[in-house]
């Protein structure tokens, strides 16, 4: 495979804003791996731990959830798993530019490659690709957030809230955390830094998420009816690879639904 030239991963796939100031540019150079050995080692660690990876193909029109299988530093190549749908696999093979995104240990990794090819590994099909020239490895949580549907709201059941239980509706969700609506602006509890370790979220139709949350920020929002509401941003506690996969599948599901609605 020849090297693909002119690739630039400093693009609109990663939001340039920061959580505290959305207008502050993000200096991606500080988070970029460019040494081939570093890149190969980082991707090998992702493969070793079996983290889920999303590959966006054809300018984001198609994507698959997959895992990296092997990394060959000497050959300058890596392989990743064949997708479940043959039509989508064919679309990925025909894509000239592919964006890989994953979040091992809560640190977002993103890189861009050129066209991939099909190989057989131990009698099974897989994708073969050149190692990327650069990898962005963000040292803070910068994730694609998507709002949950209003018509079929998702709730976070908190079982250890002040010795009682409470259900809070989700506003949005990402691999880095989620935002919840409090019943009222002056609701007790859920102060910044507080942790609740007995939380359950039913991410229909994919399954149940059982984890802890920590309140990271609070925001007063104005509703369409003129009333005020309190939205709290939470990070996850004790997130496992299986939970990552569940959230990633749900976020992908919501994104497909959103794109179908906007045509």
């Amino acid at each position: 495979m020849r090297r693909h030239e002119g690739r630039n991963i400093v693009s609109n796939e990663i939001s340039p804003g920061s959580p505290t100031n959305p207008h502050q540019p993000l200096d991606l150079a500080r988070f970029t791996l460019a040494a081939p050995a570093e890149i190969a080692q980082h991707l090998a660690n992702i493969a070793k731990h079996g983290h889920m990876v999303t590959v966006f193909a054809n300018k984001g029109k198609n994507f698959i959830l997959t895992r990296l299988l092997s990394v060959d530093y000497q050959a300058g190549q890596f392989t990743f798993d064949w997708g479940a749908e043959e039509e989508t696999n064919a679309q990925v093979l025909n894509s000239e530019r592919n964006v890989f995104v994953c979040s091992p240990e809560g640190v977002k990794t993103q890189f861009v490659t050129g066209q991939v090819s099909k190989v057989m590994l131990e009698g099974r099909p897989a994708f073969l690709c050149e190692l990327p020239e650069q990898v962005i490895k963000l040292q803070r949580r910068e994730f694609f957030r998507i709002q949950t549907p209003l018509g079929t709201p998702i709730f976070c059941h908190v079982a250890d809230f002040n010795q009682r239980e409470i259900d809070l509706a989700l506003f949005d969700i990402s691999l880095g955390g989620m935002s919840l609506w409090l019943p009222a602006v002056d609701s007790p509890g859920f102060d910044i830094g507080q942790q609740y370790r007995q939380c359950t979220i039913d991410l229909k139709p994919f399954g149940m998420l059982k984890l802890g949350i920590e309140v990271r920020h609070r925001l007063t929002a104005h509703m369409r009816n003129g009333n005020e509401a309190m939205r709290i941003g939470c990070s996850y506690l004790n997130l496992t690879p299986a939970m990552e996969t569940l959230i990633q599948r749900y976020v992908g599901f919501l994104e497909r639904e959103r794109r179908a609605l906007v045509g």
Side-chain angles (χ1 to χ4, degrees), residues 84-256:
E85 298 179 2
E86 290 302 321
E87 181 179 353
T88 305
N89 292 330
Q91 291 164 340
V92 173
L93 287 172
N94 290 328
S95 177
E96 295 181 355
R97 183 176 185 273
N98 300 288
V99 180
F100 292 69
V101 180
C102 65
S103 304
E105 282 78 50
V107 178
K108 182 170 181 177
T109 293
Q110 176 173 306
F111 57 91
V112 174
T113 72
Q115 197 156 5
V116 303
S117 60
K118 180 180 178 181
V119 294
M120 298 299 293
L121 290 179
E122 299 178 355
R124 299 179 58 184
F127 293 102
L128 175 69
C129 187
E130 290 183 359
L131 288 174
E133 295 173 356
Q134 293 179 322
V135 170
I136 292 179
K137 180 184 175 185
L138 288 176
Q139 299 298 329
R140 56 181 174 175
R141 294 178 182 266
E142 298 272 348
F143 295 97
F144 172 69
R145 288 183 173 270
I146 190 165
Q147 292 186 13
T148 54
L150 294 175
T152 54
I154 301 297
F155 291 91
C156 176
H157 180 77
V158 184
D160 56 344
F161 172 66
N162 292 348
Q163 299 181 341
R164 64 185 180 92
E165 301 179 1
I166 188 173
D167 291 313
L168 302 179
L170 270 69
F171 172 72
D172 61 25
I173 188 170
S174 76
L175 272 173
M178 59 186 177
S179 294
L180 305 171
W181 289 112
L182 290 185
V185 174
D186 57 352
S187 295
F190 295 99
D191 296 321
I192 293 176
Q194 281 192 308
Q195 296 182 352
Y196 301 93
R197 296 186 172 274
Q198 299 177 30
C199 302
T200 305
I201 309 168
D202 190 358
L203 295 181
K204 299 175 182 177
F206 298 99
M208 199 73 69
L209 196 63
K210 295 183 178 181
L211 42 59
I213 60 173
E214 179 177 334
V215 179
R216 303 301 296 270
H217 66 265
R218 295 168 62 97
L219 175 68
T220 302
H222 293 275
M223 311 297 286
R224 290 183 178 179
N225 59 11
N227 295 333
E228 288 188 339
M230 180 64 69
R231 201 167 75 216
I232 58 169
C234 303
S235 61
Y236 306 121
L237 300 175
N238 305 318
L239 193 67
T240 66
M243 294 176 187
E244 273 187 13
T245 300
L246 184 59
I247 296 171
Q248 201 163 10
R249 288 183 181 278
Y250 182 68
V251 169
F253 168 74
L254 293 184
E255 177 63 7
R256 289 196 300 273

Side-chain angles (χ1 to χ4, degrees), residues 53-98:
V53 178
T54 305
V55 182
F56 295 93
N58 296 310
K59 299 180 180 179
K61 295 178 182 177
N62 312 110
F63 73 92
I64 62 170
L65 290 173
T66 183
R67 285 185 172 88
L68 304 189
L69 298 176
S70 64
V71 178
D72 188 334
Y73 170 62
Q74 297 298 328
Q77 298 173 334
F78 71 97
T79 59
F80 59 100
D81 205 8
W82 200 248
E85 298 179 2
E86 290 302 321
E87 181 179 353
T88 305
N89 292 330
Q91 291 164 340
V92 173
L93 287 172
N94 290 328
S95 177
E96 295 181 355
R97 183 176 185 273
N98 300 288

